[in-house]
Amino acid sequence: MTELNDQALVQLRGVRKHFGQLEVLKGISMDVHAGQVTVLLGPSGSGKSTLLRCINHLESIDGGRITVDGEIVGYREAGDHLREMHPREVARQRRSIGMVFQRFNLFPHKTALENIIEAPLVVSRRGKAEAIANARELLRRVGLDAWADHYPSQLSGGQQQRVAIARALAMKPKLMLFDEPTSALDPELVGDVLDVMKELAAEGMTMVVVTHEIGFAREVADEVVFMDGGVVVESGPPAQVIEQPEHERTRGFIRSVL
Ligand code: ADP
Ligand code: MG
């Protein structure tokens, strides 16, 4: 099991979430340390996306708590219970957490560069010249310096996803969440996106990645967390969880995605 350590950048303690009668997260605890990569594995419907969405408060939680960099996400302490934060405070917290989805969700009527400068300009009121210079540097990092003025429809899925990653990085997040970032891509485009993510990991970004790419998990993850039915079944380094899983459910899942 994960050693629960107060120093972790991301801490989940007993996180619960239900939709109506359906209990989707049944008390999830985990730590993600600064500069580390956690890969979340699990069958469809096990609660992986919901968990990511709770970490940046796209979903509220019904129990437990989540802290990022020492701050409770989405709530403030009020006596012995938690009260939902003001939306402005939530927005401030969310700015430090980048998220990349399966579908790239770029603005279709904006170029790659315009997509990347949008949030920094609107939200942080940074100077436009600085935002553009930063966006060009990010496009270079994701291998798309020549594509700044192209619209999403003129880019491949893999290129769009790399723009989406650059867009998230433009807010200088301290944490990046990835929800099956390569699942919607043609197989030949997956590698370029994974390479960008590997580089980001090597540069020390803290990342939580939901993916079925076992090769990526093996190579990049510091910790692999296997979820099923809203609980953490087992977690540990890839050499343990992927190569020598303790639980039959984990073994079955790993076999099914290899
Ligand atoms: P995963 O990402 O592991 O496939 P999800 O977190 O998307 O799993 O979903 C877990 C369960 O919660 C599924 O049964 C799903 O149908 C349900 N669920 C997810 N989001 C909602 C929602 N907004 N309303 C109702 N049920 C939901
Ligand atoms: Mg999902």
Side-chain angles (χ1 to χ4, degrees):
M1 285 300 294
T2 314
E3 192 183 313
L4 302 179
N5 179 328
D6 283 343
Q7 302 306 309
L9 183 78
V10 185
Q11 301 185 339
L12 280 73
R13 293 293 179 275
V15 173
R16 296 186 169 274
K17 174 69 182 175
H18 58 79
F19 294 111
Q21 301 284 60
L22 180 68
E23 200 174 16
V24 175
L25 302 176
K26 302 174 184 171
I28 301 276
S29 298
M30 68 171 77
D31 279 358
V32 185
H33 292 269
Q36 299 226 310
V37 177
T38 292
V39 167
L40 273 182
L41 299 178
S44 180
S46 56
K48 307 180 299 296
S49 294
T50 302
L51 187 65
L52 286 191
R53 293 169 58 79
C54 288
I55 294 176
N56 67 357
H57 205 59
L58 287 172
E59 298 284 358
S60 59
I61 60 178
D62 302 315
R65 70 174 58 190
I66 298 171
T67 61
V68 173
D69 208 5
E71 245 191 79
I72 301 174
V73 175
Y75 301 88
R76 54 179 63 263
E77 275 167 301
D80 57 356
H81 65 288
L82 298 178
R83 184 174 297 163
E84 198 132 8
M85 257 181 191
H86 190 280
R88 213 171 23 236
E89 283 288 286
V90 176
R92 176 188 59 76
Q93 287 184 326
R94 229 177 244 151
R95 284 201 285 280
S96 67
I97 304 174
M99 184 147 181
V100 175
F101 302 88
Q102 185 172 341
R103 300 261 156 219
F104 335 116
N105 304 327
L106 298 176
F107 301 113
H109 57 287
K110 287 182 187 289
T111 64
L113 185 101
E114 288 166 351
N115 265 280
I116 297 170
I117 63 175
E118 165 85 11
L121 283 184
V122 171
V123 179
S124 353
R125 299 192 184 80
R126 279 196 205 116
K128 189 162 185 182
E130 187 193 330
I132 291 175
N134 186 44
R136 289 202 183 280
E137 168 59 19
L138 288 168
L139 281 167
R140 192 194 57 70
R141 274 171 70 187
V142 301
L144 294 174
D145 17 1
W147 300 83
D149 300 323
H150 287 67
Y151 289 87
S153 62
Q154 301 171 309
L155 302 173
S156 73
Q159 290 172 324
Q160 289 181 59
Q161 192 60 300
R162 286 184 280 151
V163 173
I165 293 171
R167 182 177 60 173
L169 293 173
M171 296 303 287
K172 305 189 191 309
K174 47 190 163 201
L175 169 68
M176 286 283 285
L177 309 174
F178 293 86
D179 195 355
E180 300 200 34
T182 60
S183 299
L185 300 178
D186 292 333
E188 73 272 21
L189 303 177
V190 168
D192 287 342
V193 173
L194 293 180
D195 284 346
V196 166
M197 292 168 62
K198 283 176 200 170
E199 209 163 292
L200 204 52
E203 289 164 7
M205 178 61 75
T206 310
M207 298 164 49
V208 181
V209 183
V210 175
T211 184
H212 296 319
E213 296 286 340
I214 295 294
F216 176 86
R218 241 187 213 126
E219 192 181 332
V220 182
D222 296 289
E223 180 162 56
V224 175
V225 174
F226 175 69
M227 283 176 68
D228 195 9
V231 301
V232 173
V233 175
E234 64 184 294
S235 63
Q240 179 189 318
V241 176
I242 295 174
E243 316 304 340
Q244 300 182 310
E246 231 173 273
H247 293 263
E248 183 46 43
R249 277 195 283 180
T250 317
R251 280 197 286 273
F253 177 80
I254 302 282
R255 267 198 306 273
S256 75
V257 293
L258 276 180

